[in-house]
Amino acid sequence: MSTLSGDMPRGRVVSLDALRGFDMFWIIGGGTVFVRLFEYFDTPVTRVLKEQLEHAYWHGFHFEDLIFPLFLFIVGASMPFSISKRLERGDSRNGLYWHIVKRTLIIYFLGLVYYGFFELDFANQRYVGVLPRIAMCYFLASMIVMNSGIRGQAIWTAAILLLYWAAMYLVPVPGYGAGNITPEGNLSAWVDVTFLPGRMNHYGSYMYGDTTGFLGIIPSTASTLLGILAGHWLRTDRPMTEKAKWLIIAGVACLAVGLVWNYGFPINKHIWSSSFVVFAGGWCFLLLALFYWIIDVKGWQKWAFPFVVIGLNPITIYFCDRIIDFSHTSDFILSGIGRLSGDFKPVVFAIGILALKWLFLYFLYKRKIFLKA
């Protein structure tokens, strides 16, 4: 059995850290590397693969659409190892509430900074986005964990998905009526356009709503709750092979439910439809089962080390990617190699940027610096 370096923080679930790192890998540059490779080796197959690294235009599901719900799923899967565990050992509830509120505010503020808070142009400030949604989903899911058991958390998950479905189809949108699931006529976009202050990150060329808008926080919380349910299962005393088996069963069941639900509420990442939550959740369960089986059951861990390094500081690299010019440094170091690479130059530079980010995280890892919000 292979194990990771002894520098790993104690009490970590290695498969969760590796899966989180795998997810962040695509965000911090892995996706760009493969896009550049697919563009260089331009064939019908690579064009199909390249399309999977772009969000679905409206309805539909691509690999790129899995990345954000997978992160929220992992946020949830970690909660039973933190919040639930601390509740069981009798830690102060007031202290836990304060920890949750503080962490929520820090992550949300980092999101504001990411979107230009220090420009002090509040009329054009973006108030929602990736980090703000992570903050709000963490807060809402934590409140549910703090005040309900596993059965209650499952009920909350189902209730959120069903109520969101009902709202999207039954609440009339001025000028469009009820049940309009178009970019311009859906309830989520109307809420953003009507009530959301500041700048919005629109649906590509669509001029309606925000891609991570306000109403979508509700079903996104259900994505986090699915992860919480998976985390509870991992904490049980069941045999490890049985845990992996039932994660697979849960994944296949979610995929089936999501595909069926797609006929009544289309799979759509932009509005975070209920069918999208369940379908993406199915892939999350299956990926967790795969990582858990390989790393925790079989004990094959060394291959996952690069992902673990990323997974231990996910918010750090996401935020630092905004304030550190890794691209400029990569261009400086690889200028000669890039000049000699010809048409392969975009691939070389993309790999260089990704390598610099990983080395930055490895520097933090070796010094046991794990920044937590």
Side-chain angles (χ1 to χ4, degrees):
M1 293 174 62
S2 301
T3 58
L4 294 175
S5 163
D7 293 335
M8 273 289 295
R10 291 185 179 182
R12 305 296 303 188
V13 181
V14 179
S15 56
L16 282 179
D17 287 326
L19 183 55
R20 188 186 301 107
F22 169 80
D23 190 51
M24 289 299 301
F25 166 83
W26 300 98
I27 296 173
I28 67 173
T32 303
V33 170
F34 279 96
V35 166
R36 297 292 176 261
L37 280 170
F38 296 151
E39 289 172 346
Y40 182 79
F41 298 103
D42 186 26
T43 68
V45 173
T46 57
R47 283 183 217 128
V48 172
L49 293 174
K50 180 175 178 288
E51 185 180 17
Q52 286 297 311
L53 294 175
E54 302 168 354
H55 289 298
Y57 182 71
W58 185 241
H59 299 323
F61 190 90
H62 292 170
F63 174 78
E64 185 75 9
D65 298 316
L66 176 61
I67 291 173
F68 196 4
L70 178 58
F71 190 87
L72 292 176
F73 181 90
I74 300 167
V75 168
S78 302
M79 286 188 188
F81 295 92
S82 54
I83 295 175
S84 297
K85 184 177 180 180
R86 291 172 68 175
L87 285 172
E88 290 169 4
R89 72 187 185 198
D91 285 12
S92 166
R93 292 182 66 86
N94 288 338
L96 272 173
Y97 277 124
W98 170 240
H99 168 78
I100 292 166
V101 170
K102 182 176 70 172
R103 191 177 190 203
T104 299
L105 292 175
I106 292 173
I107 296 174
Y108 185 82
F109 180 69
L110 287 175
L112 294 183
V113 173
Y114 188 93
Y115 294 119
F117 179 82
F118 291 131
E119 294 177 11
L120 304 180
D121 183 6
F122 301 120
N124 292 302
Q125 171 72 47
R126 190 178 177 201
Y127 293 94
V128 294
V130 173
L131 290 176
R133 180 165 290 194
I134 291 171
M136 296 310 301
C137 289
Y138 167 76
F139 176 77
L140 293 173
S142 296
M143 292 300 102
I144 292 171
V145 170
M146 289 287 291
N147 294 282
S148 64
I150 297 175
R151 177 177 294 183
Q153 292 156 27
I155 292 171
W156 267 105
T157 306
I160 287 171
L161 295 176
L162 292 171
L163 289 172
Y164 183 67
W165 182 27
M168 292 293 285
Y169 275 87
L170 299 179
V171 176
V173 174
Y176 296 95
N180 190 315
I181 309 297
T182 61
E184 66 275 13
N186 72 84
L187 179 64
S188 181
W190 179 80
V191 168
D192 289 344
V193 171
T194 306
F195 300 107
L196 195 62
R199 181 176 62 86
M200 287 181 283
N201 184 28
H202 299 294
Y203 301 137
S205 61
Y206 306 144
M207 301 303 290
Y208 312 98
D210 193 289
T211 52
T212 50
F214 183 75
L215 199 61
I217 293 170
I218 298 171
S220 298
T221 301
S223 295
T224 311
L225 286 166
L226 286 176
I228 289 171
L229 296 174
H232 282 305
W233 178 242
L234 289 180
R235 283 195 68 214
T236 66
D237 294 329
R238 301 293 184 92
M240 297 174 76
T241 52
E242 184 179 347
K243 293 179 186 179
K245 180 184 74 174
W246 281 99
L247 287 173
I248 294 172
I249 292 172
V252 172
C254 284
L255 289 178
V257 171
L259 287 173
V260 172
W261 207 341
N262 176 56
Y263 292 99
F265 191 5
I267 294 171
N268 186 309
K269 189 261 182 185
H270 298 289
I271 58 175
W272 217 278
S273 63
S274 300
S275 58
F276 170 77
V277 172
V278 179
F279 187 74
W283 288 113
C284 293
F285 275 111
L286 291 177
L287 280 171
L288 178 57
L290 176 64
F291 275 66
Y292 182 74
W293 172 262
I294 294 173
I295 294 173
D296 294 314
V297 177
K298 303 301 292 183
W300 299 329
Q301 297 185 356
K302 283 188 175 180
W303 70 273
F305 177 73
F307 292 138
V308 171
V309 169
I310 302 172
L312 287 172
N313 269 310
I315 301 295
T316 304
I317 190 56
Y318 185 84
F319 185 76
C320 286
D321 198 13
R322 176 70 167 170
I323 62 176
I324 299 176
D325 195 344
F326 291 102
S327 177
H328 177 78
T329 306
S330 176
D331 290 351
F332 175 76
I333 295 173
L334 298 176
S335 58
I337 296 175
R339 178 172 49 81
L340 298 174
S341 300
D343 293 340
F344 200 67
K345 176 180 176 180
V347 181
V348 171
F349 280 177
I351 293 173
I353 293 168
L354 178 62
L356 281 174
K357 292 176 184 178
W358 190 87
L359 289 170
F360 169 69
L361 290 173
Y362 182 68
F363 174 83
L364 298 180
Y365 174 87
K366 290 300 290 183
R367 283 151 184 79
K368 301 181 182 179
I369 300 172
F370 307 108
L371 304 180
K372 296 182 180 180

